[in-house]
């Protein structure tokens, strides 16, 4: 199993304790460099413009600008987006951006793409918010078009939502395409046809088992080798020291980081979905074993508070990845 980690980008209110935007940026970069120096395979960013759970006027660094900059601030780790929003960039521009960043990173880009869901952001930035059927149909065209622009020289495409007439997408590179989402009729079929990896967010283990069985069926239908596709999911965790009391650790974390997204669990608990869980190395490993059993081979961790303190990042690397 390989591991990636999200850098603090602001989307999850994870830079609010730092006032200066330049210092916020350097905090994000410092986490990327710490991951680069450790056993992590990758670092990740979110493609969002406004904060969650509520949009407030706080820093959220733009995903592709940050991806390009971190490509030059690191030397080893791969860099991805979980995931790029199809509605924010036309697919030909996306293909050009990704090819450029793949060169800048010396081939370390994981290019993430999804249909998008944050209606507040779409409307705030002037993107037409359409119904799910249209967003998915647009996404379907985009995935096919991006794949062709990365692999063909003379691309003419005249779809309902997108069209191109022989654009020069040079340098012509094909970074691994990570497709986010679990829609069984459209998204997973696109993964089978064009994806190099898929991601199911913070899904329940049994839900992931089912989604992977659907993906396998799609692969059989289109003649794709199921084993070629990287199957990934994400977890939100705050690792604690062996023997530490989860209740005490929760209060310590809340007090240190001024965050209210932690939920403590007992010694017999697993890793629940949603908010970040205060967990021991033993609990994380138990959950990873469950994920591996259903077919997950790549896990991307979101660890709250790492902008202010690298200790939990280093603990996860030492106690989980390197152990």
């Amino acid at each position: 199993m390989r591991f990636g980690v999200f850098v603090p980008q602001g989307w999850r209110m994870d830079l609010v304790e730092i006032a200066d935007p330049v210092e916020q940026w350097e905090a994000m970069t410092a986490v990327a460099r710490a991951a680069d120096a450790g056993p992590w395979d990758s670092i990740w960013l979110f493609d969002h413009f406004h904060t969650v759970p509520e949009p407030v006027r706080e820093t959220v660094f733009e995903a592709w600008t940050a991806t390009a900059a971190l490509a030059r601030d690191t030397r080893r780790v791969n860099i991805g987006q979980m995931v790029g929003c199809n509605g924010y960039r036309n697919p030909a521009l996306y293909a050009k951006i990704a090819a450029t960043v793949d060169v800048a990173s010396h081939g370390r880009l994981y290019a993430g793409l999804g249909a998008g869901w944050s209606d507040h952001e779409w409307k705030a930035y002037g993107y037409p918010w359409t119904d799910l059927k249209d967003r998915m149909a647009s996404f379907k065209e985009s995935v096919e078009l991006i794949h062709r622009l990365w692999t063909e020289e003379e691309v003419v495409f005249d779809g309902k939502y997108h069209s191109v007439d022989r654009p020069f997408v040079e340098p012509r590179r094909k970074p691994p395409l990570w497709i986010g989402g679990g829609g069984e009729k459209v998204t997973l079929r696109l993964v089978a046809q064009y994806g190099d990896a898929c991601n199911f967010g913070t899904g329940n283990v049994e839900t992931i088992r089912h989604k992977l069985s659907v993906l396998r069926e799609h692969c059989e239908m289109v003649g794709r080798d199921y084993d070629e596709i990287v199957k990934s999911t994400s977890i939100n965790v705050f690792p604690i020291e062996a023997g530490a009391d989860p209740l005490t650790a929760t209060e310590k974390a809340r007090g240190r980081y001024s965050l209210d997204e932690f939920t403590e669990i007992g010694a017999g608990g697993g890793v629940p979905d949603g908010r970040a869980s205060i967990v021991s190395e033993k609990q994380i490993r138990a959950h990873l074993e469950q994920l591996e059993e259903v077919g997950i081979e790549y896990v991307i961790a979101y660890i709250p508070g790492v902008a202010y303190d690298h200790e939990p990042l280093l603990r996860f690397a030492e106690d989980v990845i390197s152990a």
Side-chain angles (χ1 to χ4, degrees):
M1 184 173 282
R2 290 180 292 162
F3 295 88
V5 64
F6 285 100
V7 297
Q9 182 187 355
W11 182 58
R12 302 188 67 160
M13 301 287 287
D14 44 16
L15 294 171
V16 296
E17 298 301 305
I18 304 172
D20 181 8
V22 173
E23 292 182 8
Q24 290 175 332
W25 181 277
E26 294 304 326
M28 177 180 67
T29 297
V31 172
R33 286 175 169 160
D36 195 39
W40 301 90
D41 175 74
S42 57
I43 57 175
W44 294 83
L45 298 110
F46 299 103
D47 191 14
H48 285 286
F49 302 143
H50 294 167
T51 60
V52 289
E54 297 293 334
V56 296
R57 197 170 289 277
E58 293 285 350
T59 295
V60 179
F61 291 119
E62 195 278 322
W64 275 102
T65 310
T67 300
L70 293 176
R72 305 300 294 179
D73 284 341
T74 56
R75 292 291 177 265
R76 182 193 60 81
V77 287
N78 297 293
I79 308 169
Q81 313 77 39
M82 195 50 64
V83 283
C85 177
N86 179 58
Y88 295 164
R89 302 159 195 89
N90 104 11
L93 175 60
Y94 176 97
K96 183 78 167 181
I97 292 171
T100 300
V101 176
D102 194 49
V103 172
S105 67
H106 295 195
R108 292 183 288 125
L109 177 68
Y110 289 161
L113 191 65
W117 56 268
S118 180
D119 60 328
H120 182 277
E121 292 180 349
W122 289 56
K123 295 172 184 177
Y125 277 76
Y127 297 111
W129 178 250
T130 58
D131 62 25
L132 180 60
K133 181 179 179 181
D134 282 326
R135 292 200 311 279
M136 293 308 299
S138 171
F139 177 53
K140 182 178 180 181
E141 286 189 4
S142 291
V143 172
E144 176 187 348
L145 181 52
I146 289 166
H147 177 82
R148 291 184 59 190
L149 289 169
W150 283 343
T151 57
E152 302 174 22
E153 287 189 2
E154 298 287 328
V155 179
V156 176
F157 188 94
D158 187 17
K160 180 179 178 181
Y161 302 91
H162 306 289
S163 62
V164 300
D165 185 8
R166 301 177 184 87
F168 294 167
V169 178
E170 300 291 346
R172 189 155 49 87
R173 308 269 293 192
K174 189 192 177 304
L177 180 60
W178 288 60
I179 297 177
E184 297 180 13
K185 294 182 179 180
V186 178
T187 302
L188 293 183
R189 184 175 178 86
L190 289 173
V191 172
Q193 291 176 299
Y194 303 109
D196 298 291
C198 59
N199 182 270
F200 298 108
T202 54
N204 174 274
V205 170
E206 290 307 314
T207 299
I208 291 174
R209 186 196 301 273
H210 170 69
K211 298 294 184 181
L212 288 177
S213 70
V214 173
L215 175 60
R216 186 183 291 276
E217 292 174 1
H218 282 305
C219 287
E220 292 173 355
M221 291 177 60
V222 302
R224 177 77 183 279
D225 184 354
Y226 173 81
D227 293 331
E228 288 181 353
I229 301 168
V230 176
K231 297 87 176 173
S232 74
T233 190
S234 306
I235 58 174
N236 301 332
V237 294
F238 186 87
I240 60 176
E241 294 177 299
D245 176 39
L247 294 176
T248 302
T250 301
E251 293 308 312
K252 179 181 178 181
R254 284 175 175 156
R256 177 180 296 177
Y257 306 123
S258 300
L259 297 175
D260 192 30
E261 60 174 305
F262 296 101
T263 176
E264 65 273 6
I265 56 179
V271 178
D273 303 333
R275 298 191 304 167
S277 306
I278 302 292
V279 285
S280 67
E281 169 268 337
K282 181 178 179 181
Q283 290 167 316
I284 296 174
R285 284 189 166 276
H287 186 61
L288 294 178
E289 289 174 2
Q290 292 179 328
L291 291 173
E292 190 171 37
E293 189 274 328
V294 302
I296 292 295
E297 53 200 351
Y298 203 111
V299 171
I300 306 169
Y302 176 78
I303 306 174
V306 290
Y308 319 121
D309 182 2
H310 292 180
E311 181 183 350
L313 175 81
L314 300 176
R315 184 178 299 127
F316 190 107
E318 180 178 352
D319 295 346
V320 177
I321 301 177
S322 299

